[in-house]
Amino acid sequence: MVNKTELFFSLIRFSISADAPLPEGIGKDDWLDLYELAKRHALLGVLYRGIERLPHEVQPARDVAVPWFMASERIVGMNRKANVNAARQTERFAKDGMRCCVLKGQGNCTYYPDAFMRTPGDIDAWIEGDDRGIIGYIRRIMPTAVAYYHHIDAPAFGGTPVEVHYRPSFQFNFIHNRRLQKWFRECAPEQFGNIVELADGAGRIAMPTLRFNRVFQMSHIANHVLHEGIGLRQLLDYYFLLKQGFTDEDRSEYRGLMRRFGMYKMSGAVMYVLREVFGMPDEWLIVEPHERCGRMLLEEIMKAGNFGHYDERIGERDRQSKLRMNILRLKRDVRMMSYFPSECLSEPFFRLYHFFWRRRVG
């Protein structure tokens, strides 16, 4: 019997690469399981592009193909809407005298072979300025907005959820985080000036450069791995980011920055997943794969799904008390301690610091 996970990976590889071989061994009874796996990892739109290329006799039956097609069409519509909203939100900030850079999301769509195959999420708007000033600006619009260390929830724009960032991301280790924030500040002017056109004439946004994105998105992945979980969608974003290309000098600088920011092992774990799941050739792996950490990361990804929403060890997050969530985070720290000791040891102390930081900003 063919392993369903391996079938899933082979279908992913076929869907994202014209050079990947045709998936073998997918039977009629496998398609519902593959649909559920794609849903768990927010890859329905990506895999539907592969299904369209399959020989007719291998494609799923109507009872699976129709809902999959409808989900793919919804993703296309969501992307069109999110593109327009991201561009208009950028214009709105500009009218208020603030430069904005859109992190991840619709910027990442520009890396994909089809800009509408990626499942969109929030608009993550990084605004130029200090945290207090930006928090004050958002609370004049939405007084009840909740502020966190790196972002504040903002009013939805055109039906698309919005997070406003004053820091792109962060690390739990205080030394690594101080270095990372300094690097973000040094790189910021170039990011706010990196203007791109979105698909279908939806508008223009600023998005991070490739150099910045390689570091920022690894920090974002690391933060979610250690905090709540990560899915294959975010790893696929990184796959297409690296496929944009980098030089030997870029590789050397990146490795130095990963060591300086305490993310070298995490980066190696991600490279392992990119190779094993997406078939990334060795020449596109920007650091050496770390097999031990990578196996653990892949196991966590498959257990927890997109952002850990399917993690049975946690249950329904909205129904958990703050005390239980803190206990579960401590258990997660212990579970990952042998893989990423610096971040796991720092996480409880950062959480305490975050508590007082939130009291300070109100």
Side-chain angles (χ1 to χ4, degrees), residues 63-351:
D63 62 331
V64 176
V66 170
W68 207 323
F69 167 76
M70 293 174 65
S72 177
E73 288 298 295
R74 282 195 300 272
I75 290 166
V76 171
M78 289 164 62
N79 272 302
R80 294 187 192 280
K81 181 179 179 180
N83 280 345
V84 170
N85 288 339
R88 290 180 178 172
Q89 179 76 83
T90 296
E91 292 171 1
R92 177 179 173 179
F93 287 136
K95 287 179 181 178
D96 289 340
M98 293 178 293
R99 293 202 296 174
C100 166
C101 176
V102 177
L103 303 170
K104 303 185 273 88
Q106 300 317 109
N108 277 347
C109 287
T110 65
Y111 300 148
Y112 280 62
D114 178 343
F116 300 113
M117 67 196 289
R118 180 186 184 273
T119 301
D122 301 344
I123 296 173
D124 289 276
W126 176 24
I127 294 181
E128 193 172 29
D130 66 276
D131 52 8
R132 280 177 175 265
I134 295 168
I135 290 169
Y137 165 76
I138 294 298
R139 284 186 172 158
R140 285 193 291 274
I141 305 168
M142 191 168 88
T144 59
V146 179
Y148 303 92
Y149 176 71
H150 68 307
H151 78 269
I152 182 169
D153 295 332
F157 190 92
T160 304
V162 178
E163 288 183 356
V164 169
H165 289 248
Y166 22 85
R167 299 179 182 89
S169 184
F170 65 96
Q171 296 295 99
F172 293 124
N173 180 285
F174 292 97
I175 295 173
H176 296 155
N177 187 51
R178 185 163 56 248
R179 292 171 180 170
L180 181 66
Q181 300 308 322
K182 181 175 183 291
W183 189 81
F184 284 158
R185 289 192 296 272
E186 291 170 350
C187 297
E190 186 179 6
Q191 314 315 309
F192 291 106
N194 187 43
I195 308 298
V196 300
E197 291 277 352
L198 293 172
D200 282 3
R204 290 154 54 89
I205 62 169
M207 65 172 283
T209 62
L210 295 175
R211 174 178 179 259
F212 186 91
N213 250 342
R214 285 190 290 264
V215 174
F216 155 64
Q217 293 200 38
M218 183 56 66
S219 175
H220 174 256
I221 290 169
N223 190 282
H224 278 284
V225 168
L226 297 167
H227 187 189
E228 59 187 353
I230 200 79
L232 287 177
R233 181 184 66 156
Q234 290 72 35
L235 277 291
L236 187 57
D237 285 347
Y238 212 80
Y239 168 90
F240 282 120
L241 169 61
L242 293 184
K243 291 286 282 186
Q244 304 308 300
F246 52 84
T247 65
D248 289 340
E249 290 77 13
D250 292 334
R251 188 197 302 268
S252 178
E253 181 197 36
Y254 177 86
R255 292 181 175 189
L257 290 173
M258 288 297 99
R259 290 188 174 96
R260 182 166 177 76
F261 302 149
M263 292 188 282
Y264 198 88
K265 283 173 68 177
M266 182 65 74
S267 184
V270 169
M271 295 306 110
Y272 174 87
V273 176
L274 298 192
R275 185 183 65 187
E276 297 301 308
V277 176
F278 306 125
M280 177 74 90
D282 287 346
E283 60 267 26
W284 290 101
L285 300 175
I286 199 164
V287 303
E288 303 86 351
H290 194 298
E291 184 170 352
R292 177 172 172 269
C293 292
R295 286 183 180 276
M296 182 280 298
L297 176 59
L298 184 54
E299 183 179 345
E300 286 288 325
I301 288 171
M302 297 310 295
K303 280 183 179 179
N306 190 45
F307 285 140
H309 292 313
Y310 297 86
D311 195 336
E312 295 179 357
R313 295 166 296 186
I314 296 176
E316 295 185 40
R317 294 175 188 271
D318 294 341
R319 296 188 179 183
Q320 307 294 339
S321 67
K322 287 186 177 181
L323 175 60
R324 175 160 170 76
M325 286 304 297
N326 283 327
I327 292 172
L328 289 170
R329 286 180 185 174
L330 286 173
K331 287 183 176 180
R332 190 176 189 87
D333 291 335
V334 171
R335 190 166 71 247
M336 297 193 175
M337 186 78 70
S338 66
Y339 301 97
F340 311 111
S342 174
E343 289 295 301
C344 291
L345 285 169
S346 301
E347 192 273 338
F349 297 101
F350 190 93
R351 207 177 331 147

Side-chain angles (χ1 to χ4, degrees), residues 18-38:
D19 299 327
L22 190 73
E24 295 183 357
I26 300 180
K28 291 183 178 180
D29 296 336
D30 296 321
W31 280 110
L32 184 58
D33 291 331
L34 293 174
Y35 178 89
E36 290 300 324
L37 281 169

Side-chain angles (χ1 to χ4, degrees), residues 34-53:
L34 293 174
Y35 178 89
E36 290 300 324
L37 281 169
K39 182 179 177 181
R40 283 168 64 100
H41 293 278
L43 294 178
L44 285 170
V46 173
L47 267 61
Y48 191 77
R49 300 307 187 274
I51 290 172
E52 290 180 309
R53 294 170 45 220

